[in-house]
Amino acid sequence: MFFHIVLERNMQLHPRHFGRDLRDKLVTKLMKAWRALAAITGIESVGKGLIRDGTGFVTFPVKYQCVVFRPFKGVILEAVVTMVNKMGFLAEAGPVQIFVSNHYIELI
């Protein structure tokens, strides 16, 4: 259910962040964007930036390694129930939110 994979994403950076710590600013922005969804374990490469016309923003292709969570059908998950109502309940297992309808709950 947990996988270590390589992903690529285009990151936009404002001109005020240009300077010696440009790479650090890109990494910080990437980590903030993925904080709740995946754990970034490393940066493989930061490509050459492309200036966007009229805005001054620069788009950089960033290739990074991360650990992601992907549940499969039939797998039993440990989850925390966060809400119960007359239609069912909502639970969370890491970054995944799960809704279970009353129609799928069997009473013993």
Side-chain angles (χ1 to χ4, degrees):
M1 289 197 314
F2 290 95
F3 299 96
H4 194 241
I5 62 173
V6 176
L7 294 175
E8 190 169 346
R9 181 175 180 165
N10 290 326
M11 300 295 299
Q12 288 188 11
L13 201 59
H14 192 274
R16 71 173 170 257
H17 300 297
F18 296 170
R20 287 186 215 160
D21 58 347
L22 179 115
R23 182 182 168 95
D24 293 337
K25 296 284 185 181
L26 280 170
V27 171
T28 302
K29 186 172 181 179
L30 179 69
M31 288 188 174
K32 283 182 182 177
W34 284 99
R35 184 179 336 178
L37 301 174
I40 296 174
T41 59
I43 305 296
E44 288 200 355
S45 66
V46 177
K48 293 183 179 180
L50 179 66
I51 299 172
R52 299 197 42 161
D53 293 335
T55 64
F57 280 84
V58 177
T59 302
F60 293 92
V62 180
K63 189 181 274 190
Y64 56 96
Q65 301 170 0
C66 64
V67 176
V68 295
F69 176 70
R70 182 175 181 214
F72 294 100
K73 183 177 179 178
V75 172
I76 297 172
L77 294 177
E78 183 175 327
V80 177
V81 175
T82 57
M83 184 182 71
V84 178
N85 61 27
K86 63 181 180 179
M87 294 172 36
F89 69 88
L90 188 67
E92 293 180 357
V96 178
Q97 288 188 339
I98 305 159
F99 176 74
V100 179
S101 172
N102 279 340
H103 292 65
Y104 293 107
I105 299 173
E106 292 183 23
L107 296 176
I108 299 176

